Amino acid sequence: MTEFMLGVTSSLAATAVTVGLGGLLSRRLRWWLLAAVARLSGLGVLRVHRRQDDARAELSGEISRARWLRVMVGRGNELTRDGFAPLWNGGGRPPDFVRVLLPDPGSDRSSPAASPEAEGEGPAELPAGSRDGTAPGGAPGDGGSWLGRREEELISLDPGFGRGLLTEQVLANFHYLAEATRDRKNTEIRFYDLPNLYRVIATDNLVFLTLYQGDAHGRHSPCVVAHRSGALYDFALRIFDTAWESARVPGGAPATTPDL
């Protein structure tokens, strides 16, 4: 037991020293120290950005050279911005495939209104109650869906975030993406109905993992960048692949995953 306590104490002391030095050193040196520690631990962490927005430039560069792309987002606003624009407007070398997971805007699978049209032929109806303050699939504020639960968190911290707004934003981003990729067979979109707790953007080289905080928007939450030879990269892909297998295709079509 004594040896165990000494080991724990020394580990905590080493961590404290590393963090303390990191606060005094340059960003580049802090990243180098973090990468060295991550390499020893096997996690494969390269950088930790305090805010997701701080990783935007790095993410944009990585997307431009990616061979493939897996994207699991909390609402999908970034999919309509400059960093992803080359994927939709044909700029640069197109990736072999792009898979996008958006939160399911309607938990009632039996309702036609909960299944936006996959073909983009006209706007899909919003889930019942998305404009009148009722969370999709439940009563007002009952957290009837995972998206509804995340919305409750955002309402509590942002006075401009009205009920139903998150669902509307997800649907707007879906319709944009469906139209932008109408003729692109290398892009698939599905809806996941799982806890809205993180954002995963993975390429054949890196993963950008944002850990959503209950008291902050995703863009203000920390973002971890890890490389493909580490355990965190493998774990993030496992998260995505598990969600992909259980996700539904917009329009209610059965989900099928082709061999890659």
Side-chain angles (χ1 to χ4, degrees), residues 208-220:
F208 295 76
L209 177 62
T210 298
L211 307 175
Y212 292 157
Q213 297 175 308
D215 58 352
H217 283 285
R219 63 183 179 275
H220 298 150

Side-chain angles (χ1 to χ4, degrees), residues 36-220:
V37 172
R39 190 176 298 111
L40 292 174
S41 68
L43 287 177
V45 177
L46 293 175
R47 285 169 286 282
V48 177
H49 297 277
R50 292 185 178 180
R51 293 159 43 106
Q52 177 180 278
D53 278 356
D54 296 337
R56 186 179 299 173
E58 183 180 6
L59 175 60
S60 178
E62 180 61 23
I63 290 174
S64 67
R65 55 181 174 266
R67 292 175 52 195
W68 53 259
L69 190 65
R70 288 176 168 93
V71 181
M72 182 179 183
V73 292
R75 74 181 82 175
N77 288 347
E78 59 264 54
L79 296 172
T80 68
R81 295 172 181 158
D82 292 346
F84 282 83
L87 293 176
W88 322 136
N89 62 24
R93 180 184 62 81
D96 295 337
F97 70 88
V98 179
R99 289 178 176 172
V100 178
L101 280 170
L102 293 167
D104 199 328
S107 60
D108 183 1
R109 303 296 179 85
S110 63
S111 171
S115 299
E117 296 174 13
E119 304 302 327
E121 298 175 358
E125 295 294 329
L126 292 176
S130 63
R131 291 186 181 275
D132 63 6
T134 303
D142 72 349
S145 71
W146 290 113
L147 189 63
R149 296 186 189 189
R150 176 58 176 167
E151 183 176 79
E152 290 297 321
E153 290 182 339
L154 296 177
I155 288 173
S156 67
L157 65 94
D158 189 340
F161 214 90
R163 297 191 185 279
L165 178 59
L166 185 56
T167 297
E168 292 184 5
Q169 290 180 337
V170 170
L171 284 171
N173 292 327
F174 162 73
H175 288 307
Y176 172 91
L177 194 58
E179 184 65 26
T181 62
R182 179 189 294 269
D183 300 321
R184 298 184 181 277
K185 296 182 179 180
N186 70 330
T187 301
E188 296 179 82
I189 309 169
R190 294 185 186 178
F191 289 127
Y192 71 91
D193 189 21
L194 294 169
N196 198 312
L197 300 176
Y198 36 72
R199 185 195 75 170
V200 177
I201 299 180
T203 72
D204 52 293
N205 185 48
L206 296 177
V207 65
F208 295 76
L209 177 62
T210 298
L211 307 175
Y212 292 157
Q213 297 175 308
D215 58 352
H217 283 285
R219 63 183 179 275
H220 298 150

